[in-house]
Amino acid sequence: MENSLTTSARWRQGLGAAWPICLGYLPLGIALGVLARQAGIDPLGIGLMSLLVFAGSAQFIAVAMLASGASVGAIVLATLVVNFRHLLMSSALAVYLRGVGPGFLALFAYGITDESFAVNMTRFRSGDWDRWRALIVNQAANAAWVLSTVAGAFLGELIPAGAFGIDYALIGMFLCLLVFQLRGAFHLFTALISGVLSVACYLAVPGDSYVVVAAVGAASAGFLLQRHKRRGRR
């Protein structure tokens, strides 16, 4: 299938799969750009941040932490924890990329997000997909994200702080991500543990490191609960 397609057909199908992702990235990217600009980051810095990091949730957290005066170490550690899931997503996609050179793998891995992972994995499993169309999906989403965040940065110079509820974008995005992950009582209970830990750590731990402490604590609690549940079935 990979060799039977023309270049134009490959681009057409790759972009056809990517456009819903790009469409969804536009409002989020603009919101991030506005928030980052209001946090004091100039458009060039926001563009470089999107280009080098390319992780919406981590960028929203980084902007919020920068605005609150968090240390660089805390921001880097929070980014590492939030993006650790990319290791699992890359490992799952590697099954369909056997024999591919390291240069392609590096470029492909750079573009993996939750959304592009879901689109490419679904198509790889159906057997009607190849690495080039998957790469087009990743990089088209990347381009849409970078452009929308830079556009948001310029809009941020015109929009007053707090206008249109843009400062709620980060909270709203994470609430949506959380709701989509709740697939049973176990996930709901883990989310509740995370919420309680976050509030407790916020009140007890000085600075902004409570984000990292709560994230690691909730992830560990979820893992232990899941292991206990599996042992109970044996």
Side-chain angles (χ1 to χ4, degrees), residues 65-126:
M65 294 179 77
L66 281 171
S68 62
S71 66
V72 173
I75 294 172
V76 170
L77 187 56
T79 301
L80 177 65
V81 172
V82 170
N83 285 342
F84 199 71
R85 68 190 186 284
H86 286 240
L87 181 66
L88 302 177
M89 292 191 291
S90 299
S91 300
L93 286 169
V95 175
Y96 303 97
L97 300 171
R98 290 184 177 132
V100 176
F104 183 94
L105 284 179
L107 184 61
F108 186 87
Y110 159 73
I112 294 175
T113 63
D114 300 76
E115 296 78 15
S116 64
F117 168 78
V119 168
N120 284 326
M121 181 57 84
T122 301
R123 283 166 171 75
F124 273 131
R125 284 174 175 168
S126 71

Side-chain angles (χ1 to χ4, degrees), residues 22 25-34 143-153:
C22 299
Y25 279 179
L26 287 177
L28 278 176
I30 290 173
L32 173 66
V34 171
W145 179 253
V146 173
L147 292 175
S148 60
T149 54
V150 172

Side-chain angles (χ1 to χ4, degrees), residues 100-188:
V100 176
F104 183 94
L105 284 179
L107 184 61
F108 186 87
Y110 159 73
I112 294 175
T113 63
D114 300 76
E115 296 78 15
S116 64
F117 168 78
V119 168
N120 284 326
M121 181 57 84
T122 301
R123 283 166 171 75
F124 273 131
R125 284 174 175 168
S126 71
D128 184 26
W129 204 237
D130 61 62
R131 61 190 174 109
W132 295 109
R133 284 176 287 178
L135 181 66
I136 291 170
V137 169
N138 288 3
Q139 299 309 319
N142 182 16
W145 179 253
V146 173
L147 292 175
S148 60
T149 54
V150 172
F154 285 106
L155 284 174
E157 298 178 351
L158 308 174
I159 298 176
F164 310 117
I166 289 178
D167 52 341
Y168 185 72
L170 173 63
I171 301 170
M173 187 193 74
F174 278 105
L175 284 176
C176 289
L177 290 176
L178 174 64
V179 168
F180 285 130
Q181 297 300 320
L182 297 178
R183 298 175 182 175
F186 166 74
H187 295 93
L188 179 60

